[in-house]
């Protein structure tokens, strides 16, 4: 299993319960064959540039170990989720 890091930005207009539901959904995908080592909801922050007229977003950072199949499934779900504005998955080399 390899180490990965994913950061995704959730739409700012979602309620706290909806944000927690989105976070739980992605944690469940990762834990279905992987292990989360660090999870941090960084909160609402201003984006560097507007994305579809959205200026703010709720940032979430997750470090985890998993197989490439888990990462592929996570990326597939992130792509089709309406709650997620942007995401980035990287291999953690440290």
């Amino acid at each position: 299993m390899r180490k990965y890091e994913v950061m995704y930005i959730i739409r700012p207009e979602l309620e706290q319960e909806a944000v927690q539901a989105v976070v739980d959904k992605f944690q469940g995908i990762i834990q279905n064959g992987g292990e989360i080592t660090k999870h941090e909801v960084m909160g609402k922050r201003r984006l560097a540039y507007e994305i579809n007229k959205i200026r703010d977003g709720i940032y979430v950072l997750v470090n985890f170990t998993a197989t490439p199949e888990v990462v592929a499934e996570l990326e597939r779900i992130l792509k089709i989720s309406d709650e997620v504005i942007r995401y980035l998955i990287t291999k953690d080399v440290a």
Side-chain angles (χ1 to χ4, degrees):
M1 295 207 306
R2 295 182 177 155
K3 293 183 180 182
Y4 293 94
E5 178 177 275
V6 61
M7 176 174 270
Y8 53 95
I9 305 171
I10 302 172
R11 294 181 172 277
E13 67 268 5
L14 293 180
E15 298 294 326
Q16 184 63 34
E17 296 84 21
V19 170
Q20 189 60 43
V22 171
V23 169
D24 290 343
K25 175 172 75 170
F26 294 127
Q27 281 183 342
I29 293 168
I30 293 170
Q31 289 172 342
N32 188 19
E35 179 182 340
I36 295 176
T37 55
K38 180 182 173 191
H39 180 267
E40 180 180 2
V41 178
M42 300 171 71
K44 192 178 211 180
R45 296 180 181 217
R46 169 97 42 208
L47 299 175
Y49 55 91
E50 281 188 15
I51 302 171
N52 298 330
K53 301 192 182 195
I54 299 173
R55 295 176 184 239
D56 297 321
I58 300 169
Y59 284 69
V60 180
L61 177 67
V62 181
N63 292 24
F64 63 98
T65 58
T67 60
E69 293 81 21
V70 172
V71 176
E73 178 65 12
L74 177 64
E75 186 168 15
R76 185 184 75 79
I77 300 296
L78 283 165
K79 277 183 187 177
I80 62 175
S81 293
D82 290 334
E83 301 92 359
V84 176
I85 302 171
R86 286 282 190 273
Y87 70 92
L88 180 66
I89 300 173
T90 57
K91 290 182 189 174
D92 195 1
V93 294

